[in-house]
Amino acid sequence: MTYVFPSVPQAPSPWNRDSPPQVDWNKCKDCHDFPCTSICPNRALKQCVREYTIEELLQILRRDFSSWGSNGGVTFSGGDPITQHDFLIEVLKGCQKLGIHTAIETSAHFPREKFLDVMQYIDFAFIDVKNMDSEAHKAGTSVGNELILDNIRALKQSG
C-alpha cells in the first residue's frame, strides 16, 4: 500500500507502509510551513526550527544574561550566521547595547564588505579554514581558501 500525504499539495513522496519512507528533498526546498510534519505517520518528520524576530531573540538573551556569569555571552553559529546578514547585524547591535559579549563561528567565505560589516560587532571569531592549501581546501569544500584568507587579513588590518 502506498500512502500519499493527502493535505500537502507538494507532498514529498508517496510512502509504502511496508518500507521506510523516502523523501524527495528537492520538493521541500521552498516550503516554509512544513505541513507534512503535522500529518506524518508515526511522526517521522519533525520541524526542528523556530523563527524569531529580532526583539524576541534579544528578549531571550536579556532574560538569560544574568545566568552566564561575567565571562558569558552569545555565540552565533550553525550553518553560517553571516548568510542572515541583515538580521544578524540588528541582533548584534542589540547585544552591544545590552553589554552582551558576542562570538561567531563562520567560514568567512563572503564578500569583504559583508564580512567586515558583521565583524565590527563581534568580540571573538572562530574562522573555519579547512586547509591552508587552496587546492586541498577546494577538494574538501568545493571552494578555494583565497577569499577566506583575504577576509582574515582584512579583519586584522581593520583593528
Side-chain angles (χ1 to χ4, degrees), residues 1 20 23 26 31 34 37 40 57 63 65-66 71 73 78 81 86-87 91 100 111 115 136 151 155 159:
M1 172 193 282
V23 177
N26 289 321
C31 181
F34 309 102
T37 61
C40 182
L57 188 53
R63 177 196 72 200
F65 182 69
S66 62
N71 294 322
D86 295 337
F87 182 86
V91 173
I100 297 174
F115 174 74
N151 278 337
L155 178 62

Side-chain angles (χ1 to χ4, degrees), residues 49-66:
V49 299
R50 175 160 181 232
E51 290 186 16
Y52 291 95
T53 65
I54 294 162
E55 295 75 25
E56 288 171 328
L57 188 53
L58 288 171
Q59 183 177 2
I60 292 168
L61 296 175
R62 192 178 306 114
R63 177 196 72 200
D64 295 346
F65 182 69
S66 62

Side-chain angles (χ1 to χ4, degrees), residues 81-97:
I82 296 177
T83 61
Q84 298 185 38
H85 173 267
D86 295 337
F87 182 86
L88 180 61
I89 290 288
E90 294 308 312
V91 173
L92 289 169
K93 287 178 181 178
C95 287
Q96 197 172 56
K97 286 179 186 172

Side-chain angles (χ1 to χ4, degrees), residues 77-152:
S77 64
D80 198 310
I82 296 177
T83 61
Q84 298 185 38
H85 173 267
D86 295 337
F87 182 86
L88 180 61
I89 290 288
E90 294 308 312
V91 173
L92 289 169
K93 287 178 181 178
C95 287
Q96 197 172 56
K97 286 179 186 172
L98 294 169
I100 297 174
H101 183 273
T102 57
I104 192 168
E105 294 181 38
T106 179
S107 69
H109 194 267
F110 294 92
R112 180 178 296 171
E113 183 179 316
K114 186 176 274 194
F115 174 74
L116 291 177
D117 192 28
V118 168
M119 298 309 289
Q120 68 182 313
Y121 300 103
I122 295 293
D123 298 309
F124 188 85
F126 300 90
I127 298 177
D128 192 7
V129 181
K130 300 292 187 191
N131 199 304
M132 293 304 290
D133 177 82
S134 187
E135 288 303 313
H137 194 281
K138 187 172 185 174
T141 65
S142 76
V143 296
N145 65 9
E146 293 85 4
L147 178 59
I148 298 164
L149 297 176
D150 286 346
N151 278 337
I152 292 170

